[in-house]
Amino acid sequence: MHDFGFKRGRLYCENVSVASLARKHGSPLYVYSHATLTRNFEQLDDALSPIKHLVCYSPKANSNLGVLRTLANAGSGFDIVSGGELQRVIAAGGDPKKCIFAGVGKTEEEIELALKKGIYSFNVESEPELVRINKVARRLKKKAPIAVRVNPNVDAKTHAKITTGTYDNKFGIAFEEIEGVYERAAKLKHLHLRGIQMHIGSQLTEVAPFEKAVRKVAPLAKRLAEKHGFEFFSIGGGVGIVYEPALESGDANWWRSPKRKKLLTPAKYAAKLLPLLQPLGLRILIEPGRFIAGNAGILITRVEYVKRTGVKNFVIVDAAMNDLARPALYDSYHEIVPLTQKAGDHLKRNQISSDVVGPICESGDYFCKKRMLPKVGEGDYLALLSAGAYGFVMASNYNTRALAAEVLVKGNRAEVVRKRQSLKQLWAGESVPKWLQ
Ligand code: LLP
């Protein structure tokens, strides 16, 4: 469910007309809904309410300060992956004591920062990392809270580039080796063995792989918890969302559509997993990114040209793969709708097979291929839906294109939460060597 919908033929985010935002702030423009972010968080939080738990939002999905503050206010913890993300969470008003720190390549500086800020736990991905964390903690005369990330070798059945829980991936430590690793970790005096963690992949649309992984790891977690006095078990993120179709043209109430029933809901997720988790008596952590932010954001773009080649109808827009990389990287689907509907847009005879493409000089710079879309022309605005997660955060300056602006909407209020980058900022840190001048 989300808070983007058509009223009298115009797309709204909550009570704000999206076209008015585009006119005021220009395009490309990311627009986020406060209500959707909060509701998605609460749905997961409520689903886990029968047990001790903490929802740790993954800022890697969307780390805008306005988004982070929205979630901190809702009571969220954070699943960070860099010193930068920790600083962002703190800058947004998040609590470091509710932060867990994942990632295979933590530097000494990052470990030191996290220890000084007092994070809840490091999620450790290798033995050399355990040794390094122990060394930094000794230097700071502290005890570092850690959990080891277990790789359960369960196929998440999602896109190859976002599968993480099999032995083909660089993540975690193999299931069979975990007990030995904890034995050795227990001998390192500056570590506090606080829990165990896993994460099998992203954009899972079925509960079965989660269930399989939890069934496999829960007995191990129980044995280790008894031995080492753990507090928590983090079962990772990965709850998927519906990208297709998120919002059907002409259907302002898409979420009542029967198609939505296929969604992996927090209720379904909890119904299968809670009976397995509850007996452990541990605090259960989850690390959702996409479920919270994905359908809470859209990317607005303006049509620059329509180019008909005889073979194709290219709709050339002002956003590109540098703004939203997911279609180019993963061939992923984002629903595309005009901000203003014309009567009969939903009729096939008023639609045309279109390739929506950006201005970047690569054939991979497209948002969709051969998709039936209402006919649009120069100056029309389009929205790419479900772009709230892994959208802006993966943007780049490729082709010397400035990063888009971001707006957060709450009710009838809208505020720019990140200004559009100025072109000068792009080369502000560069210089021409003296010997070339
Ligand atoms: N925890 C860990 C350890 C992770 O690696 C990830 C995501 C998450 C939690 C959050 O997963 P989520 O709930 O968002 O599925 N750029 C890709 C997704 C990469 C996911 C990386 N790890 C995409 O656009 O689909």
Side-chain angles (χ1 to χ4, degrees), residues 58 60-61 79 81 102 125 149 161-162 164 171 197 199 201-203 236-239 243 287-291 326 330 389-390 394:
S58 278
K60 66 168 81 65
D79 161 44
V81 289
E125 309 245 11
R149 175 169 179 175
K161 287 194 180 157
I162 50 178
T164 50
F171 300 101
Q197 191 258 358
H199 170 78
S202 195
Q203 183 53 13
V239 179
Y243 281 96
E287 308 162 6
R290 190 188 320 261
F291 183 82
R326 303 192 70 256
Y330 319 115
Y390 307 108
M394 291 171 67

Side-chain angles (χ1 to χ4, degrees), residues 67-382:
V67 170
L68 297 182
R69 172 62 76 94
T70 300
L71 293 162
N73 286 351
S76 187
F78 297 94
D79 161 44
I80 57 166
V81 289
S82 67
E85 283 193 352
L86 177 55
Q87 300 280 36
R88 254 183 193 280
V89 165
I90 294 169
D95 182 357
K97 290 187 201 66
K98 288 185 177 175
C99 285
I100 46 177
F101 189 174
V104 295
K106 301 175 192 81
T107 64
E108 286 205 14
E109 293 75 19
E110 288 177 316
I111 293 166
E112 181 168 338
L113 173 74
L115 279 171
K116 286 184 173 159
K117 299 291 181 190
I119 64 161
Y120 182 61
S121 182
F122 291 92
N123 290 336
V124 177
E125 309 245 11
S126 66
E127 286 212 68
E129 186 189 328
L130 279 172
V131 172
R132 182 180 280 187
I133 294 175
N134 184 63
K135 187 180 95 183
V136 178
R138 184 172 56 225
R139 176 156 52 76
L140 299 179
K141 301 192 177 55
K142 284 182 184 284
K143 267 205 159 199
I146 65 108
V148 176
R149 175 169 179 175
V150 49
N151 183 335
N153 199 22
V154 168
D155 185 357
K157 299 206 163 52
T158 180
H159 192 286
K161 287 194 180 157
I162 50 178
T163 286
T164 50
T166 75
Y167 291 168
D168 266 353
N169 309 120
K170 66 183 174 187
F171 300 101
I173 294 178
F175 182 82
E176 295 75 17
E177 292 166 27
I178 287 289
E179 279 176 279
V181 171
Y182 273 104
E183 284 302 316
R184 293 188 285 281
K187 297 198 180 96
L188 299 174
K189 298 221 163 36
H190 289 268
L191 299 183
H192 165 198
L193 312 189
R194 185 167 253 175
I196 182 162
Q197 191 258 358
M198 68 173 193
H199 170 78
I200 56 172
S202 195
Q203 183 53 13
L204 276 73
T205 51
E206 284 168 29
V207 77
F210 286 118
E211 196 185 336
K212 197 170 169 190
V214 170
R215 272 189 199 284
K216 186 165 176 186
V217 174
L220 172 74
K222 191 171 168 50
R223 271 201 310 281
L224 288 168
E226 279 160 10
K227 198 164 189 183
H228 302 290
F230 288 175
E231 285 167 28
F232 80 94
F233 174 20
S234 176
I235 59 170
V239 179
I241 61 167
V242 172
Y243 281 96
E244 187 185 339
L247 190 148
E248 292 156 336
S249 298
D251 181 4
N253 297 314
W254 71 274
W255 51 85
R256 301 210 184 104
S257 145
K259 288 184 180 144
R260 253 201 106 238
K261 293 204 179 111
K262 289 188 204 145
L263 191 65
L264 170 54
T265 61
K268 279 188 207 163
Y269 176 79
K272 287 282 184 204
L273 301 186
L274 288 191
L276 305 172
L277 296 169
Q278 202 148 20
L280 299 177
L282 293 168
R283 184 187 200 196
I284 300 301
L285 269 52
I286 55 167
E287 308 162 6
R290 190 188 320 261
F291 183 82
I292 289 177
N295 280 324
I298 62 175
L299 173 61
I300 312 303
T301 185
R302 194 183 62 227
V303 176
E304 294 293 339
Y305 301 98
V306 175
K307 176 172 168 179
R308 300 225 167 115
T309 63
V311 189
K312 289 266 195 177
N313 180 55
F314 288 109
V315 177
I316 303 168
V317 296
D318 68 351
M321 63 190 283
N322 75 299
D323 299 298
L324 177 65
R326 303 192 70 256
L329 273 180
Y330 319 115
D331 247 326
S332 56
Y333 183 101
H334 287 267
E335 178 97 14
I336 300 175
V337 294
L339 294 197
T340 310
Q341 291 182 314
K342 295 187 279 299
D345 264 1
H346 60 291
L347 300 172
K348 282 271 176 293
R349 65 180 146 82
N350 292 331
Q351 298 182 351
I352 179 163
S353 169
S354 308
D355 285 22
V356 177
V357 301
I360 282 184
C361 305
E362 290 211 27
S363 303
D365 183 28
Y366 63 87
F367 293 122
C368 72
K369 284 188 169 173
K370 287 194 191 156
R371 193 180 301 174
M372 292 305 284
L373 290 177
K375 287 178 193 144
V376 290
E378 191 179 323
D380 286 344
Y381 286 106
L382 300 175

